[in-house]
Amino acid sequence: MRHPAFKTGHMPFILALLTTLLWGGASAMAQDAGYRLGVMDRLKVRVAEWQPADGTVRSWDVVAGDYAVGPDGSISLPFIGQMEVSGKTTAEVATEIARELQSKFALRTEPSASVEIAQFRPIFLTGDVNTPGEFPYAPNLTVLKAVSLAGGLRRAEAGQRFARDFINARGDAAVYGSERSRLIARRARLLAEVEGADTIKIPQELENIPNSAELIASETALMKSRRQRYELQLKALADLRALLESEVQSLNQKAATQKEQLELAQKDRERISRLSEQGLATSQRRLSIEERTADVESTLLDIDTAALRAKQDISKALQDEINLRNDWEAQRSKELQDTEAELEKLELQLTTSRELMSEALAQSAEALRFDASGKAASIKYVIVRDEGDGTKEISADETTPLRPGDVVKVTSELLLQ
């Protein structure tokens, strides 16, 4: 039984849907109405026809296939012959194919034709690239990606070697100089911490550094944070010691009270003991006073033990405070020594970079064009593009998107920034 969807009014929709399912959609750029076909583009053509008699779709395999756009801007199709496609979109070519087939075979309705880009026409790179020539185009291709396909920018082995050495040495010197400034600011902060100062003096080495204020402000914030934590730790130990001393004092007072109770209990025990010997006191009463005396002595012993433990804790808190102070001073000294060692190492690296820069300037005229005011290699990109109304040159950068058939000219030169 034929599905209800197979109705005469639904035939074009169903035919288009089946064609899409059979062969898939074209690439994003092929579907873009703004892209116009040109010489060396390769097209994939598919044709299908709806058969209302049996409700099936017939594929025109004789016409289907891959076709290259020739030098004259046309493709050659069975039954149709030469068809001009240059400057047209894939949708326009598909419509024209369907109309031609309907006309050739006197069909009642146009067959469904699908035209996709099988392969875009190539791009070309010339100029200062390692491998100039022809390269395949791919969607989303940019100037930078195209240059990477050509092996990157071309560099002379001898002529520009000293210029590159100068650039590298100058970059290293900039990195070392920045790190040196941070270390000088750190050293100033450590000296202030050792001296117990509240502020950091700006060192003479940083007076002409543009970001010296920011460096000192950062180190000052760090110094205040570290000192605040250190003082809080000291205060916590001092509070603990005061609490323990108060506890010892309370225990001593309690011990004094218990000693008085013990003296009274001992006197009662002696009195009961004499009465018991005279037969005037029972053994039960004597036993009771003995138990009371023992309890008081036990409580007094517990108090003495607690007082001894509290005194030990006081001694430990005091030792912890001494260790904290010693560790603080030792850590500052160790960090100061490490900073001095790092500064010495950076000074040597900075000197080496400056010597390399001097050598490059002495050996290369190209390197001589780089000076303290700052100069660099300038890379210039120009796209030569034919948009149907003649070729034109378009200035570009690394992110500029390319189109099939573009010619990219790359030139490099040393210019003032």
Side-chain angles (χ1 to χ4, degrees):
M1 181 179 295
R2 185 174 300 177
H3 194 277
F6 291 96
K7 298 179 181 179
T8 304
H10 294 165
M11 290 305 106
F13 169 76
I14 296 172
L15 185 55
L17 175 61
L18 290 174
T19 303
T20 303
L21 293 175
L22 285 172
W23 299 309
S27 68
M29 191 166 185
Q31 295 294 343
D32 185 358
Y35 178 68
R36 302 289 171 173
L37 299 174
V39 177
M40 299 182 70
D41 278 335
R42 294 189 64 85
L43 307 181
K44 179 179 292 185
V45 177
R46 297 290 185 270
V47 180
E49 181 187 4
W50 173 254
Q51 300 294 311
D54 54 6
T56 62
V57 174
R58 183 179 68 181
S59 175
W60 290 53
D61 294 334
V62 176
V63 180
D66 291 353
Y67 300 89
V69 180
D72 59 351
S74 65
I75 59 175
S76 180
L77 295 167
F79 306 117
I80 298 177
Q82 293 296 116
M83 176 181 289
E84 180 71 27
V85 298
S86 180
K88 298 178 181 179
T89 66
T90 55
E92 291 171 346
V93 175
T95 300
E96 188 172 348
I97 291 174
R99 289 175 181 173
E100 288 290 335
L101 290 176
Q102 182 187 20
S103 175
K104 291 286 184 180
F105 293 97
L107 303 176
R108 294 181 59 185
T109 58
E110 290 183 1
S112 178
S114 170
V115 178
E116 304 172 3
I117 299 292
Q119 181 179 333
F120 293 97
R121 56 187 183 272
I123 61 169
F124 304 87
L125 276 87
T126 181
D128 292 333
V129 291
N130 273 331
T131 312
E134 173 186 320
F135 298 92
Y137 175 84
N140 301 320
L141 187 66
T142 62
V143 170
L144 180 60
K145 292 178 182 178
V147 171
S148 68
L149 293 177
L153 298 174
R154 183 174 61 200
R155 290 180 169 84
E157 292 298 327
Q160 294 183 351
R161 180 170 63 85
F162 289 105
R164 293 198 304 271
D165 291 344
F166 180 89
I167 294 172
N168 293 333
R170 188 177 65 176
D172 292 339
V175 173
Y176 297 148
S178 177
E179 182 63 23
R180 176 177 175 270
S181 297
R182 286 194 291 270
L183 288 175
I184 291 175
R186 183 195 303 176
R187 182 178 63 184
R189 185 252 302 167
L190 291 171
L191 290 172
E193 288 181 340
V194 170
E195 296 171 358
D198 294 330
T199 57
I200 301 176
K201 296 180 180 178
I202 298 181
Q204 185 178 0
E205 299 93 329
L206 296 182
E207 289 181 354
N208 297 324
I209 302 299
N211 63 334
S212 60
E214 290 80 1
L215 292 174
I216 294 299
S218 176
E219 294 295 336
T220 300
L222 178 60
M223 180 182 72
K224 290 181 178 179
S225 175
R226 285 155 62 103
R227 180 168 296 171
Q228 183 179 15
R229 183 176 59 203
Y230 168 66
E231 291 175 352
L232 286 175
Q233 290 174 333
L234 285 177
K235 185 177 183 302
L237 289 173
D239 292 343
L240 175 61
R241 190 154 46 88
L243 181 62
L244 291 172
E245 289 173 352
S246 176
E247 182 180 355
V248 169
Q249 185 177 1
S250 298
L251 289 172
N252 288 336
Q253 293 175 353
K254 189 174 181 180
T257 302
Q258 290 297 316
K259 286 180 181 179
E260 293 176 358
Q261 294 292 328
L262 180 59
E263 291 177 359
L264 293 175
Q266 288 174 344
K267 291 179 180 179
D268 287 344
R269 183 178 62 181
E270 292 175 359
R271 184 172 59 82
I272 296 299
S273 178
R274 289 194 299 269
L275 292 175
S276 178
E277 290 175 356
Q278 296 173 4
L280 299 177
T282 63
S283 58
Q284 182 66 31
R285 186 175 179 185
R286 184 176 181 179
L287 179 61
S288 176
I289 194 62
E290 290 289 347
E291 290 177 351
R292 179 189 170 198
T293 304
D295 289 342
V296 174
E297 290 176 344
S298 176
T299 301
L300 186 59
L301 181 60
D302 291 341
I303 293 173
D304 290 341
T305 302
L308 179 60
R309 186 181 299 111
K311 291 177 181 179
Q312 290 175 343
D313 291 340
I314 291 173
S315 178
K316 183 178 181 301
L318 182 59
Q319 186 61 46
D320 289 343
E321 183 177 343
I322 295 173
N323 292 339
L324 180 60
R325 295 182 184 276
N326 291 338
D327 291 344
W328 171 265
E329 295 176 359
Q331 187 179 4
R332 300 292 84 70
S333 299
K334 176 67 167 55
E335 290 182 0
L336 190 57
Q337 290 177 354
D338 293 343
T339 301
E340 293 286 1
E342 292 182 39
L343 270 172
E344 184 177 355
K345 178 182 177 181
L346 275 177
E347 290 288 356
L348 293 175
Q349 292 173 324
L350 194 56
T351 300
T352 302
S353 296
R354 288 169 178 166
E355 290 175 353
L356 289 174
M357 292 166 63
S358 299
E359 180 183 359
L361 289 172
Q363 296 293 332
S364 173
E366 290 182 349
L368 189 60
R369 298 179 65 181
F370 294 82
D371 57 23
S373 62
K375 301 181 181 181
S378 173
I379 309 300
K380 183 180 180 181
Y381 302 101
V382 175
I383 298 174
V384 180
R385 178 175 296 164
D386 185 357
E387 297 182 335
D389 54 352
T391 59
K392 60 179 64 176
E393 292 190 350
I394 304 170
S395 297
D397 56 31
E398 294 180 344
T399 62
T400 302
L402 295 178
R403 296 181 183 179
D406 281 350
V407 178
V408 182
K409 297 194 297 185
V410 183
T411 56
S412 60
E413 54 185 355
L414 300 176
L415 297 173
L416 280 169
Q417 289 183 345

